[in-house]
């Protein structure tokens, strides 16, 4: 277990212990929740989405009666777990903790979806902004992003980049990067799991673009070198890394996010309560510390209506990314 994940789990255990404290806020929430609340994470256990979901959900649960349970329902790029929430009763007892993928990417990667991302959900909280980091095999001996761009252009037929599958953020980020630097000959190698990192460290691929929490252990071990970030701003925990936009002298701002949703007709008072409670958790110093360790940024507080508008706007941004990556719906 790497140090970042160990620290995240330690923070989670501290917050869980806090759930034994008197439930002062419970009286303020009326009758909600009257029973167990299931929070679906549409991805597997142990990843950064799952860790941060459990961190926040357990903290909120401690203030609202300790009845919140986080459940992993992975499959089909998040579609399986997301559908489960879409068809659940709109009573506040089933929530979704998701990335942008089911809402903003999958509509343009799949011909049909088992849910309507625009009309089946009520936004509750936008919890985290997730920039990505470009990493390369350390054995190349390359130290800067500018050197790496030059290397890819000259050796593209012998280079490859890994991702977690067609249509994932790592695939889109890598494809747009190679196109913008005129290195479309670089081969895309899709994976279904974290073995992509081991293969990159072993030199089987040339680069990967992923969340800091996924790449940091091997960067710190000297097996990978971090070269640039995918966001339009530099990262507070890695100020030495330039933005890819500044390196390639072109627009490049490929970031994803986490948010909490409920079925569309969930009562407004429950949605408002949960919006405030998740924000209270996000404001806690120990949670901010874990976010920094996992490589997350935060957004300013927003109402459910503002978050809903943000998701719809971001969907159009990702549509452009999917089209730029040359992905056709399947």
């Amino acid at each position: 277990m790497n140090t970042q994940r160990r620290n995240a789990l330690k923070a989670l255990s501290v917050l869980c212990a806090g759930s034994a404290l008197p439930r002062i806020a419970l009286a303020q929430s009326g009758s909600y929740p009257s029973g167990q609340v299931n929070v679906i994470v549409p991805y597997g256990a142990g990843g950064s989405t799952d860790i941060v979901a459990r961190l926040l959900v357990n903290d909120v649960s401690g203030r609202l009666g300790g009845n919140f349970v986080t459940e992993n329902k992975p499959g089909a790029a998040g579609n399986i777990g997301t559908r489960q929430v879409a068809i659940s009763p709109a009573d506040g007892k089933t929530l979704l903790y998701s990335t942008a993928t089911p809402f903003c990417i999958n509509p343009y990667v799949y011909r049909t979806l088992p849910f309507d991302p625009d009309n089946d959900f009520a936004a509750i909280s936008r919890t985290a902004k997730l920039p990505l980091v470009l990493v390369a095999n350390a054995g190349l001996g390359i130290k800067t992003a500018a050197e790496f761009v030059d290397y890819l252009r000259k050796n593209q037929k012998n280079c490859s980049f890994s991702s977690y599958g067609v249509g994932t953020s790592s695939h889109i980020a890598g494809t747009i990067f190679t196109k913008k630097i005129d290195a479309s000959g670089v081969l895309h190698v899709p994976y279904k799991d974290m073995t992509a990192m081991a293969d990159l460290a072993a030199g089987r691929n040339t680069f990967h673009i992923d969340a800091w929490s996924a790449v940091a252990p091997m960067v710190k071990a000297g097996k990978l070198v971090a070269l640039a970030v995918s966001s339009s701003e530099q990262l507070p925990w890695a100020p030495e890394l330039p933005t890819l936009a500044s390196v390639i002298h072109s627009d490049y701002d490929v970031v994803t996010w986490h948010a909490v949703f409920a079925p569309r007709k969930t009562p407004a008072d429950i949605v408002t309560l949960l919006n405030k409670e998740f924000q209270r958790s996000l404001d806690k110093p120990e949670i901010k510390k874990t976010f920094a360790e996992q490589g997350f940024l935060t957004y300013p507080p927003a109402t459910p209506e503002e978050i809903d508008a943000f998701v719809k706007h971001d969907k159009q941004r990702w549509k452009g990314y999917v089209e730029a990556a040359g992905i056709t719906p399947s």
Side-chain angles (χ1 to χ4, degrees):
M1 182 180 294
N2 64 62
T3 302
Q4 285 183 305
R5 182 156 295 169
R6 187 182 299 111
N7 290 342
L9 293 175
K10 185 183 296 183
L12 177 58
S13 66
V14 170
L15 290 170
C16 288
S19 66
L21 298 174
R23 313 289 195 258
I24 298 174
L26 183 59
Q28 300 172 348
S29 64
S31 60
Y32 179 81
S34 58
Q36 180 173 301
V37 177
N38 294 318
V39 183
I40 305 299
V41 176
Y43 307 103
S48 60
T49 306
D50 177 59
I51 288 175
V52 174
R54 292 177 186 276
L55 184 70
L56 294 173
V57 168
N58 276 277
D59 193 54
V60 169
S61 182
R63 293 191 299 272
L64 294 180
N67 293 320
F68 287 63
V69 176
T70 305
E71 183 180 0
N72 300 94
K73 288 285 183 180
N79 288 343
I80 292 176
T82 302
R83 176 185 181 274
Q84 180 174 333
V85 177
I87 64 175
S88 295
D91 55 7
K93 292 186 177 180
T94 305
L95 307 176
L96 175 71
Y97 189 96
S98 178
T99 65
T101 301
F103 294 87
C104 299
I105 300 178
N106 289 355
Y108 308 112
V109 174
Y110 294 85
R111 291 187 184 278
T112 59
L113 291 176
F115 53 87
D116 183 343
D118 294 324
N119 298 301
D120 286 349
F121 301 91
I124 289 175
S125 175
R126 183 178 54 183
T127 59
K129 181 177 182 180
L130 181 56
L132 309 176
V133 179
L134 167 66
V135 291
N137 178 276
L140 294 173
I142 292 173
K143 302 299 182 183
T144 69
E147 288 179 60
F148 187 64
V149 168
D150 186 58
Y151 175 83
L152 287 180
R153 285 173 176 157
K154 293 177 179 178
N155 300 278
Q156 55 186 288
K157 295 298 182 180
N158 298 315
C159 294
S160 61
F161 76 93
S162 53
S163 82
Y164 298 127
V166 173
T168 59
S169 57
S170 54
H171 170 222
I172 292 171
T175 301
I176 293 176
F177 171 54
T178 56
K179 286 191 172 187
K180 282 185 173 286
I181 64 170
D182 296 321
S184 296
V186 175
L187 177 68
H188 168 230
V189 182
Y191 286 74
K192 293 183 178 180
D193 53 35
M194 293 295 288
T195 57
M197 289 295 101
D199 277 4
L200 179 61
R204 296 185 182 94
N205 294 306
T206 315
F207 78 89
H208 187 96
I209 302 178
D210 204 350
W212 176 246
S213 58
V215 303
M218 289 197 178
V219 170
K220 293 177 179 178
K223 296 180 179 180
L224 302 179
V225 57
L227 297 172
V229 297
S230 70
S231 54
S232 58
E233 71 242 77
Q234 290 177 273
L235 306 182
W237 59 88
E240 72 282 2
L241 297 181
T243 65
L244 271 171
S246 69
V247 174
I248 65 178
H249 306 293
S250 177
D251 293 338
Y252 191 98
D253 186 23
V254 183
V255 299
T256 185
W257 43 260
H258 289 185
V260 184
F261 299 88
R264 171 58 69 181
K265 295 183 180 180
T266 299
D269 58 340
I270 293 178
V271 171
T272 300
L273 170 69
L274 289 171
N275 173 270
K276 293 178 179 177
E277 289 300 329
F278 273 97
Q279 189 58 52
R280 285 181 66 182
S281 295
L282 290 167
D283 289 338
K284 284 192 168 185
E286 60 266 39
I287 288 181
K288 288 182 178 181
K289 181 176 182 293
T290 300
F291 267 44
E293 292 172 346
Q294 291 290 311
F296 289 91
L297 299 173
T298 57
Y299 290 98
T303 66
E305 294 76 17
E306 290 170 337
I307 298 165
D308 187 60
F310 164 82
V311 172
K312 287 181 170 58
H313 180 269
D314 204 50
K315 183 180 176 183
Q316 294 306 308
R317 181 174 68 96
W318 279 102
K319 178 182 180 183
Y321 289 160
V322 172
E323 291 174 348
I327 299 170
T328 55
S330 61

